[in-house]
Amino acid sequence: MEDKEDRASQRSINDEDLDHENTMSILVATDNHIGYMEKDPERASDSLVTFEEILQIAKEKKVDFILLGGDLFHENKPSRKIVHKTMEIIRKYCMGDQPCFLEFLSDQSINFAANSFPTVNYEDPNYNISIPIFSIHGNHDDPAGDGNLCTLNLFSVSGFVNYFGKASNVDDITISPILMQKGTTKLALYGLGSVRDERLHRTFLNKKVKMLRPKEDPDSWFNCFVLHQNRAKHGAKNHIPENFLDDFLDLVIWGHEHECLIDPQYSESEKDIYISQPGSSVATSLCEGEAKEKYCGILRVVGKNFRMDKFRLKTVRPFYTKDVILSETDVDSFDDAAAQEYLAEQVEELIALSEREHTGDIRQPKLPLIRLRVEYTGGFSPFNVNRFGQQFVKRVANTKDILLFYRKRVLTVREKKTNDVGTVRIRPEILDEVHVEDLVKEYLNSQENKLQLNILSERKMGLALQEFVDKDEKEAIGEIVKLQLRDTQKTLSTKNVRYENDIVQEVIKETERSRTVEPSQEEDAHTRKILKEAVQHSQSKVQDTPITLSDESDGEDGSRTTKTTRGRGRGRGRGRGKERSEGSRKTTSARGKKPQILFEDGGSLSFGKNDSRGKLSSSAWDQNSNELDEEDPFAFPTKRKR
């Protein structure tokens, strides 16, 4: 320990050692989660306000550049409002005539290979960048979907952010550093965007993670590595151990962990490496680690020496948490009213504490976040949390989840014998074996809920929910409901049932009894296929909209071409996994005509009729006929021919 402290003191920088020509100043922040709780009327702007404060600090302190450690956005596809506001803030604080004194030395085509314009933005003659931003992606804003893109790609192509650290092959990773120099100080910046921890853990074990070093005088460079992975051990392979890091690194900026430990600390391994964990700038979970004060830091590097100056973020919403063990209080276990009164007093104390500790910044919200972790073992009973929180409306920001009830877990004899290995945690592999459709079926069939579905199938609703969760298909649930309604209508029409209520109910009951038989894999595959076609059919309707002049552009041959946007009109774009084949393209005809999907082989698929090649379209119902197309599951039954 003394040896480490001696080495730490040797590498620290005093104020007299700082000079503008040779000192590289870097503002460091991670996990901004812009857009978190954007639909909450009270907390919607929290992340944006604090992000603006971070950039304001960078401008006031005249840093050379800003380094972000992932999760700039809370979602892979943030809303237009969030993207627009973020661009507005970056343009306000990072663009200008102030010169950037960094000399870029490495091959930009390699450092920014994943970008359409592999050029560092402050050297681009089309932009005036005073404070460049360098960022990797996190697990929340990671690339996905068609083109494997994320929002950082948009900010990169628009010149706002230098996006780096994207691995093209996560099973064999080679990290080429960004090399920059200011005076006599030379920085080698390594970056690796978020990869699933188990997979990256295996890649490290297979020695497939390589970091390139400059050939000329490699020991003269200050080596900094920024990554976004689990640092805390959540399982045997669900984290990245510090001993995996290369020995030549000087400092690691560790993202993803939200607890603020920004002061550089020696690695717990035997390697001579410092680790700084800036933490998040907005609380995304009501846990103890998020309740600590939040900071951003300015890393100052002179040669091989460095120091981290931290700045408290004054616009962060106050957050206080407290543990309460009811069995250790004077409250009677049979008196629920007394327990509620006691917990209300604890909340009042924390509200008063937040008023006393307010930073005084007018941008800091006044309503605090409060969480009481209440252990109710010993005969106590939990009560309605929402009703309890109503008494603190307009005084606490999170009235719906102020209380968290839990029972003290009693270890079994076997667990006590094996407790010396550390904290018992649930293995992620166990969660991977749980299927969404099984949970839906169990919930709908439980006696507690007493839900009776006459037309809708639990199995098909589960499949639709799985599409919604896994692929962000927001139309899936609505389309599967419509599909089953049409199937029921088709059954009634096929059996020539007159619409008397008792007969209709009997047919519906027969349909319900037929669902008790476990469906085969072929039936499930057919349902997924029908669901996919239904969602695509629903999306295609939205694209049949009037074309504005702003969507048109001149083609290479001088003709006018129309650009159509994917998605659902007012809604957001499709989620992960919903990729389109590279050979297909979409065009929209003139106003009033129906859209077509053109394929590479020359065939076409039109809506509202059968195409010329005899293939069924997505809506095979002929509007000029009253007959029901038996092969089309999407056709609404009408009057049959007599």
Side-chain angles (χ1 to χ4, degrees), residues 330-513:
D330 297 332
V331 178
D332 188 354
S333 60
F334 296 99
D335 192 346
D336 290 343
Q340 294 188 37
E341 183 179 355
Y342 176 80
L343 294 176
E345 292 175 358
Q346 302 301 311
V347 174
E348 291 288 354
E349 292 180 3
L350 295 179
I351 293 176
L353 180 61
S354 69
E355 293 175 354
R356 293 195 302 269
E357 295 185 351
H358 196 277
T359 61
D361 193 308
I362 59 174
R363 297 172 296 176
Q364 185 183 30
K366 294 183 178 180
L367 302 189
L369 297 171
I370 292 179
R371 166 56 63 87
L372 295 183
R373 298 182 70 253
V374 183
E375 181 190 318
Y376 66 98
T377 52
F380 293 90
S381 300
F383 44 82
N384 191 295
V385 177
N386 288 336
R387 189 178 304 166
F388 175 83
Q390 291 303 311
Q391 58 186 309
F392 300 104
V393 173
K394 297 189 181 301
R395 302 184 62 203
V396 176
N398 59 316
T399 56
K400 295 182 179 180
D401 52 4
I402 296 177
L403 303 180
L404 175 63
F405 288 99
Y406 72 98
R407 294 179 64 88
K408 184 177 181 180
R409 187 167 179 266
V410 180
L411 297 178
T412 63
V413 177
R414 183 178 179 180
E415 289 174 333
K416 290 180 179 179
K417 291 181 179 180
T418 60
N419 197 34
D420 56 343
V421 298
T423 305
V424 179
R425 296 182 184 271
I426 299 177
R427 294 185 296 107
E429 293 79 7
I430 297 177
L431 299 179
D432 294 339
E433 298 174 358
V434 180
H435 301 286
V436 174
E437 59 268 27
D438 296 334
L439 295 176
V440 173
K441 185 176 181 180
E442 179 182 354
Y443 178 81
L444 295 178
N445 291 330
S446 63
Q447 293 295 329
E448 180 181 356
N449 296 298
K450 297 180 180 179
L451 295 179
Q452 299 292 333
L453 295 183
N454 293 328
I455 298 178
L456 304 181
S457 165
E458 297 90 348
R459 181 70 176 178
K460 292 182 179 180
M461 292 298 293
L463 293 176
L465 183 58
Q466 186 179 26
E467 292 289 313
F468 176 81
V469 174
D470 294 344
K471 300 181 180 180
D472 197 22
E473 287 294 355
K474 295 179 173 57
E475 305 289 342
I477 297 178
E479 289 299 326
I480 204 67
V481 171
K482 294 178 183 177
L483 173 62
Q484 293 177 88
L485 288 174
R486 294 167 187 170
D487 286 344
T488 304
Q489 292 173 338
K490 181 178 178 180
T491 301
L492 295 173
S493 179
T494 303
K495 293 186 178 183
N496 199 17
V497 174
R498 296 183 180 274
Y499 287 89
E500 285 82 5
N501 184 60
D502 53 347
I503 302 178
V504 172
Q505 290 295 329
E506 183 61 29
V507 174
I508 291 177
K509 288 181 180 179
E510 290 181 5
T511 304
E512 183 180 2
R513 285 193 293 268

Side-chain angles (χ1 to χ4, degrees), residues 158-431:
S158 60
F160 285 103
V161 173
N162 299 294
Y163 172 37
F164 72 110
K166 181 180 179 180
S168 58
N169 181 9
V170 296
D171 294 321
D172 190 359
I173 300 174
T174 300
I175 305 176
S176 181
I178 291 175
L179 303 179
M180 292 181 286
Q181 184 171 354
K182 183 181 180 183
T184 58
T185 299
K186 296 186 291 185
L187 172 68
L189 178 61
Y190 298 81
L192 180 60
S194 177
V195 180
R196 186 176 178 181
D197 289 286
E198 295 87 347
R199 192 165 188 177
L200 184 60
H201 192 282
R202 182 174 65 249
T203 307
F204 268 108
L205 289 179
N206 294 334
K207 300 187 182 303
K208 293 293 185 179
V209 180
K210 298 179 288 295
M211 292 187 174
L212 305 181
R213 300 188 65 185
K215 292 183 178 180
E216 297 181 3
D217 199 9
D219 295 331
S220 64
W221 295 82
F222 183 84
N223 302 291
C224 180
F225 180 35
V226 55
L227 78 164
H228 191 97
Q229 304 292 153
N230 278 336
R231 184 183 180 190
K233 186 176 181 180
H234 298 279
K237 299 181 180 179
N238 197 18
H239 73 296
I240 303 302
E242 296 176 5
N243 57 9
F244 282 2
L245 304 174
D246 283 85
D247 295 329
F248 69 87
L249 294 174
D250 297 298
L251 176 66
V252 175
I253 305 298
W254 207 302
H256 185 62
E257 301 289 350
H258 282 205
E259 182 178 355
C260 184
L261 301 172
I262 196 169
D263 293 317
Q265 301 173 347
Y266 257 114
S267 171
E268 295 181 357
S269 64
E270 297 181 355
K271 299 182 179 181
D272 189 15
I273 300 175
Y274 286 90
I275 297 179
S276 174
Q277 182 179 302
S280 64
S281 58
V282 61
T284 60
S285 61
L286 302 179
C287 63
E288 184 178 358
E290 295 270 31
K292 295 184 178 180
E293 292 183 350
K294 296 187 179 296
Y295 295 85
C296 67
I298 295 183
L299 174 65
R300 306 187 191 276
V301 183
V302 179
K304 293 286 287 186
N305 300 327
F306 70 97
R307 82 180 191 192
M308 181 75 76
D309 297 331
K310 61 182 183 180
F311 297 85
R312 182 186 175 187
L313 299 175
K314 299 180 180 180
T315 60
V316 177
R317 183 177 295 275
F319 174 31
Y320 298 91
T321 182
K322 185 176 183 180
D323 290 337
V324 177
I325 303 176
L326 291 177
S327 60
E328 296 181 359
T329 65
D330 297 332
V331 178
D332 188 354
S333 60
F334 296 99
D335 192 346
D336 290 343
Q340 294 188 37
E341 183 179 355
Y342 176 80
L343 294 176
E345 292 175 358
Q346 302 301 311
V347 174
E348 291 288 354
E349 292 180 3
L350 295 179
I351 293 176
L353 180 61
S354 69
E355 293 175 354
R356 293 195 302 269
E357 295 185 351
H358 196 277
T359 61
D361 193 308
I362 59 174
R363 297 172 296 176
Q364 185 183 30
K366 294 183 178 180
L367 302 189
L369 297 171
I370 292 179
R371 166 56 63 87
L372 295 183
R373 298 182 70 253
V374 183
E375 181 190 318
Y376 66 98
T377 52
F380 293 90
S381 300
F383 44 82
N384 191 295
V385 177
N386 288 336
R387 189 178 304 166
F388 175 83
Q390 291 303 311
Q391 58 186 309
F392 300 104
V393 173
K394 297 189 181 301
R395 302 184 62 203
V396 176
N398 59 316
T399 56
K400 295 182 179 180
D401 52 4
I402 296 177
L403 303 180
L404 175 63
F405 288 99
Y406 72 98
R407 294 179 64 88
K408 184 177 181 180
R409 187 167 179 266
V410 180
L411 297 178
T412 63
V413 177
R414 183 178 179 180
E415 289 174 333
K416 290 180 179 179
K417 291 181 179 180
T418 60
N419 197 34
D420 56 343
V421 298
T423 305
V424 179
R425 296 182 184 271
I426 299 177
R427 294 185 296 107
E429 293 79 7
I430 297 177
L431 299 179

Side-chain angles (χ1 to χ4, degrees), residues 1 11 34 133 151 155 188 244 310 337 367 386 426 441 453 519 567 579 596 601 603 612:
M1 179 63 68
R11 301 195 62 176
I34 300 177
I133 297 177
T151 310
F155 279 70
F244 282 2
K310 61 182 183 180
L367 302 189
N386 288 336
I426 299 177
K441 185 176 181 180
L453 295 183
E579 299 183 2
Q596 286 187 331
D601 60 359
S612 59

Side-chain angles (χ1 to χ4, degrees), residues 473 475 479 529-541 543 574 578-579 586 597 605 607 618:
E473 287 294 355
E475 305 289 342
E479 289 299 326
K529 179 182 178 181
I530 296 299
L531 179 62
K532 181 179 179 180
E533 293 174 353
V535 172
Q536 291 176 346
H537 177 59
S538 175
Q539 293 169 355
S540 65
K541 294 180 180 179
Q543 295 180 358
R574 291 184 287 185
K578 205 66 177 178
E579 299 183 2
K586 295 184 180 180
I597 300 178
L605 186 66
F607 298 115
S618 295

